[in-house]
Amino acid sequence: MSAIRQSHNTRHIFASFLQNCQGARPLLLFPFTICIAMLALMKGSPKPAPRRSNPAAKLAGSIAARLDQPVVLVGLMGSGKSAVGRRAAKQLGIGFKDSDQLIVKAAGISIAEIFELAGEVKFREMERKTLGNLALASPQIIATGGGAFCQKDTADLLLQHTLTIWLKASPATLLSRIGNTKTRPLLHNGDPLATLTRLDEQRARFYKKAHIHLDTDGLSTYTAMMALFHALDTHLPRQ
Ligand code: S3P
């Protein structure tokens, strides 16, 4: 009985407290409202993410604006002509063409099959025609087959109409990048490292004629692309 009365009393006291507070309610709510507003503000305006500078994009923009002819990558198999060329073209916002791929598409058979069925001389002829067409096209990146620049007609054509870049690398690096040698007919017989070393010695005098020389040993595709961009940036006249 006394417990019931006590609870009754408590309710009575609480009710009269609320009644007394009626006038002061806005004052009581004020700090609460401020807290809610501050929380909403913090949520609504997250800290701006720190701006990451993109050195590749900055350089690429300047290069693309100054490029007025195709850029042709030459060098031995595995030097990164296709991998670096494709990535650089994407970053520059221009086209990318691989002469070997175009030949395969036109012939309907693989490079190894062209060598086997029609012979290397026929392949070189197809290569010269393909690159002859590409050399006169709009600014884009072109990856050549490793032997293309060693054919006088093809090299003269490319030197006259395009900006040629020799991607250099040691034979050991080339072999590690090539991986599967099955797609490279010139590496089908004998020790591939010995063949690459011999080709490197035989072909360096042709590749040396390229407008720009770039050592890609120890470089990833991205760092080789950046080295290519720096070389182009230095080579191309400022507007
Ligand atoms: C060749 C290189 C190959 C291809 C063909 C002949 C060469 O191209 O054109 O197998 O003579 O060095 P990659 O350099 O793209 O492998």
PDB file of all heavy atoms in Angstrom, residues 70-90:
ATOM      1  N   PRO A  70      52.679  10.707 -86.302  1.00  0.00           N
ATOM      2  CA  PRO A  70      52.647   9.464 -85.515  1.00  0.00           C
ATOM      3  C   PRO A  70      53.968   9.238 -84.771  1.00  0.00           C
ATOM      4  O   PRO A  70      55.027   9.668 -85.234  1.00  0.00           O
ATOM      5  CB  PRO A  70      52.440   8.381 -86.575  1.00  0.00           C
ATOM      6  CG  PRO A  70      51.895   9.078 -87.773  1.00  0.00           C
ATOM      7  CD  PRO A  70      52.487  10.446 -87.747  1.00  0.00           C
ATOM      8  N   VAL A  71      53.877   8.575 -83.633  1.00  0.00           N
ATOM      9  CA  VAL A  71      55.059   8.173 -82.870  1.00  0.00           C
ATOM     10  C   VAL A  71      55.227   6.672 -83.095  1.00  0.00           C
ATOM     11  O   VAL A  71      54.305   5.894 -82.853  1.00  0.00           O
ATOM     12  CB  VAL A  71      54.863   8.464 -81.356  1.00  0.00           C
ATOM     13  CG1 VAL A  71      55.994   7.850 -80.539  1.00  0.00           C
ATOM     14  CG2 VAL A  71      54.775   9.962 -81.105  1.00  0.00           C
ATOM     15  N   VAL A  72      56.396   6.277 -83.604  1.00  0.00           N
ATOM     16  CA  VAL A  72      56.608   4.868 -83.952  1.00  0.00           C
ATOM     17  C   VAL A  72      57.658   4.246 -83.030  1.00  0.00           C
ATOM     18  O   VAL A  72      58.774   4.761 -82.909  1.00  0.00           O
ATOM     19  CB  VAL A  72      57.048   4.751 -85.430  1.00  0.00           C
ATOM     20  CG1 VAL A  72      57.398   3.310 -85.770  1.00  0.00           C
ATOM     21  CG2 VAL A  72      55.930   5.231 -86.338  1.00  0.00           C
ATOM     22  N   LEU A  73      57.275   3.155 -82.371  1.00  0.00           N
ATOM     23  CA  LEU A  73      58.190   2.480 -81.445  1.00  0.00           C
ATOM     24  C   LEU A  73      58.916   1.351 -82.178  1.00  0.00           C
ATOM     25  O   LEU A  73      58.266   0.498 -82.805  1.00  0.00           O
ATOM     26  CB  LEU A  73      57.412   1.938 -80.250  1.00  0.00           C
ATOM     27  CG  LEU A  73      56.577   2.988 -79.501  1.00  0.00           C
ATOM     28  CD1 LEU A  73      55.838   2.350 -78.335  1.00  0.00           C
ATOM     29  CD2 LEU A  73      57.452   4.137 -79.003  1.00  0.00           C
ATOM     30  N   VAL A  74      60.245   1.388 -82.111  1.00  0.00           N
ATOM     31  CA  VAL A  74      61.048   0.341 -82.758  1.00  0.00           C
ATOM     32  C   VAL A  74      61.933  -0.314 -81.698  1.00  0.00           C
ATOM     33  O   VAL A  74      62.138   0.235 -80.619  1.00  0.00           O
ATOM     34  CB  VAL A  74      61.910   0.912 -83.919  1.00  0.00           C
ATOM     35  CG1 VAL A  74      61.049   1.656 -84.923  1.00  0.00           C
ATOM     36  CG2 VAL A  74      63.018   1.833 -83.395  1.00  0.00           C
ATOM     37  N   GLY A  75      62.462  -1.481 -82.030  1.00  0.00           N
ATOM     38  CA  GLY A  75      63.315  -2.203 -81.084  1.00  0.00           C
ATOM     39  C   GLY A  75      63.027  -3.684 -81.133  1.00  0.00           C
ATOM     40  O   GLY A  75      62.083  -4.129 -81.806  1.00  0.00           O
ATOM     41  N   LEU A  76      63.836  -4.433 -80.431  1.00  0.00           N
ATOM     42  CA  LEU A  76      63.715  -5.894 -80.471  1.00  0.00           C
ATOM     43  C   LEU A  76      62.424  -6.401 -79.822  1.00  0.00           C
ATOM     44  O   LEU A  76      61.764  -5.674 -79.071  1.00  0.00           O
ATOM     45  CB  LEU A  76      64.911  -6.521 -79.755  1.00  0.00           C
ATOM     46  CG  LEU A  76      66.222  -6.594 -80.550  1.00  0.00           C
ATOM     47  CD1 LEU A  76      67.360  -7.056 -79.644  1.00  0.00           C
ATOM     48  CD2 LEU A  76      66.077  -7.565 -81.720  1.00  0.00           C
ATOM     49  N   MET A  77      62.114  -7.654 -80.104  1.00  0.00           N
ATOM     50  CA  MET A  77      60.967  -8.317 -79.466  1.00  0.00           C
ATOM     51  C   MET A  77      61.129  -8.210 -77.946  1.00  0.00           C
ATOM     52  O   MET A  77      62.235  -8.376 -77.442  1.00  0.00           O
ATOM     53  CB  MET A  77      60.971  -9.822 -79.784  1.00  0.00           C
ATOM     54  CG  MET A  77      61.142 -10.171 -81.218  1.00  0.00           C
ATOM     55  SD  MET A  77      61.509 -11.949 -81.367  1.00  0.00           S
ATOM     56  CE  MET A  77      62.989 -11.887 -82.359  1.00  0.00           C
ATOM     57  N   GLY A  78      60.043  -7.917 -77.251  1.00  0.00           N
ATOM     58  CA  GLY A  78      60.096  -7.858 -75.791  1.00  0.00           C
ATOM     59  C   GLY A  78      60.565  -6.519 -75.248  1.00  0.00           C
ATOM     60  O   GLY A  78      60.693  -6.339 -74.039  1.00  0.00           O
ATOM     61  N   SER A  79      60.796  -5.547 -76.134  1.00  0.00           N
ATOM     62  CA  SER A  79      61.278  -4.247 -75.631  1.00  0.00           C
ATOM     63  C   SER A  79      60.139  -3.400 -75.066  1.00  0.00           C
ATOM     64  O   SER A  79      60.380  -2.357 -74.474  1.00  0.00           O
ATOM     65  CB  SER A  79      62.021  -3.486 -76.740  1.00  0.00           C
ATOM     66  OG  SER A  79      61.192  -3.364 -77.882  1.00  0.00           O
ATOM     67  N   GLY A  80      58.895  -3.839 -75.237  1.00  0.00           N
ATOM     68  CA  GLY A  80      57.754  -3.129 -74.652  1.00  0.00           C
ATOM     69  C   GLY A  80      57.022  -2.251 -75.650  1.00  0.00           C
ATOM     70  O   GLY A  80      56.205  -1.416 -75.267  1.00  0.00           O
ATOM     71  N   LYS A  81      57.286  -2.436 -76.949  1.00  0.00           N
ATOM     72  CA  LYS A  81      56.659  -1.565 -77.972  1.00  0.00           C
ATOM     73  C   LYS A  81      55.129  -1.601 -77.857  1.00  0.00           C
ATOM     74  O   LYS A  81      54.483  -0.555 -77.881  1.00  0.00           O
ATOM     75  CB  LYS A  81      57.100  -2.010 -79.387  1.00  0.00           C
ATOM     76  CG  LYS A  81      58.597  -1.821 -79.653  1.00  0.00           C
ATOM     77  CD  LYS A  81      59.010  -2.556 -80.897  1.00  0.00           C
ATOM     78  CE  LYS A  81      58.786  -4.029 -80.694  1.00  0.00           C
ATOM     79  NZ  LYS A  81      59.418  -4.972 -81.529  1.00  0.00           N
ATOM     80  N   SER A  82      54.567  -2.788 -77.729  1.00  0.00           N
ATOM     81  CA  SER A  82      53.100  -2.892 -77.664  1.00  0.00           C
ATOM     82  C   SER A  82      52.565  -2.487 -76.295  1.00  0.00           C
ATOM     83  O   SER A  82      51.628  -1.681 -76.215  1.00  0.00           O
ATOM     84  CB  SER A  82      52.642  -4.326 -77.969  1.00  0.00           C
ATOM     85  OG  SER A  82      53.105  -4.704 -79.238  1.00  0.00           O
ATOM     86  N   ALA A  83      53.162  -3.019 -75.222  1.00  0.00           N
ATOM     87  CA  ALA A  83      52.639  -2.733 -73.873  1.00  0.00           C
ATOM     88  C   ALA A  83      52.758  -1.244 -73.535  1.00  0.00           C
ATOM     89  O   ALA A  83      51.779  -0.607 -73.114  1.00  0.00           O
ATOM     90  CB  ALA A  83      53.384  -3.582 -72.850  1.00  0.00           C
ATOM     91  N   VAL A  84      53.950  -0.684 -73.755  1.00  0.00           N
ATOM     92  CA  VAL A  84      54.167   0.732 -73.428  1.00  0.00           C
ATOM     93  C   VAL A  84      53.373   1.614 -74.397  1.00  0.00           C
ATOM     94  O   VAL A  84      52.743   2.596 -73.995  1.00  0.00           O
ATOM     95  CB  VAL A  84      55.683   1.077 -73.481  1.00  0.00           C
ATOM     96  CG1 VAL A  84      55.916   2.559 -73.226  1.00  0.00           C
ATOM     97  CG2 VAL A  84      56.457   0.226 -72.485  1.00  0.00           C
ATOM     98  N   GLY A  85      53.394   1.228 -75.678  1.00  0.00           N
ATOM     99  CA  GLY A  85      52.691   2.023 -76.694  1.00  0.00           C
ATOM    100  C   GLY A  85      51.193   2.105 -76.417  1.00  0.00           C
ATOM    101  O   GLY A  85      50.614   3.191 -76.487  1.00  0.00           O
ATOM    102  N   ARG A  86      50.596   0.970 -76.077  1.00  0.00           N
ATOM    103  CA  ARG A  86      49.142   0.949 -75.819  1.00  0.00           C
ATOM    104  C   ARG A  86      48.796   1.839 -74.629  1.00  0.00           C
ATOM    105  O   ARG A  86      47.857   2.630 -74.669  1.00  0.00           O
ATOM    106  CB  ARG A  86      48.693  -0.488 -75.566  1.00  0.00           C
ATOM    107  CG  ARG A  86      47.192  -0.645 -75.466  1.00  0.00           C
ATOM    108  CD  ARG A  86      46.748  -2.088 -75.359  1.00  0.00           C
ATOM    109  NE  ARG A  86      46.892  -2.818 -76.598  1.00  0.00           N
ATOM    110  CZ  ARG A  86      47.769  -3.797 -76.813  1.00  0.00           C
ATOM    111  NH1 ARG A  86      48.592  -4.154 -75.853  1.00  0.00           N
ATOM    112  NH2 ARG A  86      47.845  -4.412 -77.969  1.00  0.00           N
ATOM    113  N   ARG A  87      49.613   1.714 -73.561  1.00  0.00           N
ATOM    114  CA  ARG A  87      49.334   2.492 -72.355  1.00  0.00           C
ATOM    115  C   ARG A  87      49.547   3.994 -72.586  1.00  0.00           C
ATOM    116  O   ARG A  87      48.765   4.835 -72.130  1.00  0.00           O
ATOM    117  CB  ARG A  87      50.249   2.000 -71.225  1.00  0.00           C
ATOM    118  CG  ARG A  87      49.893   2.579 -69.908  1.00  0.00           C
ATOM    119  CD  ARG A  87      50.229   1.660 -68.797  1.00  0.00           C
ATOM    120  NE  ARG A  87      49.833   2.254 -67.528  1.00  0.00           N
ATOM    121  CZ  ARG A  87      50.096   1.725 -66.375  1.00  0.00           C
ATOM    122  NH1 ARG A  87      50.720   0.587 -66.304  1.00  0.00           N
ATOM    123  NH2 ARG A  87      49.712   2.312 -65.267  1.00  0.00           N
ATOM    124  N   ALA A  88      50.605   4.314 -73.327  1.00  0.00           N
ATOM    125  CA  ALA A  88      50.898   5.726 -73.602  1.00  0.00           C
ATOM    126  C   ALA A  88      49.784   6.339 -74.458  1.00  0.00           C
ATOM    127  O   ALA A  88      49.342   7.466 -74.209  1.00  0.00           O
ATOM    128  CB  ALA A  88      52.240   5.844 -74.308  1.00  0.00           C
ATOM    129  N   ALA A  89      49.318   5.582 -75.465  1.00  0.00           N
ATOM    130  CA  ALA A  89      48.268   6.102 -76.347  1.00  0.00           C
ATOM    131  C   ALA A  89      46.996   6.383 -75.554  1.00  0.00           C
ATOM    132  O   ALA A  89      46.337   7.410 -75.754  1.00  0.00           O
ATOM    133  CB  ALA A  89      47.988   5.095 -77.457  1.00  0.00           C
ATOM    134  N   LYS A  90      46.677   5.473 -74.629  1.00  0.00           N
ATOM    135  CA  LYS A  90      45.460   5.646 -73.816  1.00  0.00           C
ATOM    136  C   LYS A  90      45.572   6.927 -72.981  1.00  0.00           C
ATOM    137  O   LYS A  90      44.649   7.731 -72.903  1.00  0.00           O
ATOM    138  CB  LYS A  90      45.294   4.424 -72.908  1.00  0.00           C
ATOM    139  CG  LYS A  90      43.933   4.320 -72.290  1.00  0.00           C
ATOM    140  CD  LYS A  90      43.761   3.030 -71.562  1.00  0.00           C
ATOM    141  CE  LYS A  90      42.414   3.059 -70.860  1.00  0.00           C
ATOM    142  NZ  LYS A  90      42.347   2.102 -69.773  1.00  0.00           N
TER     143      LYS A  90
END
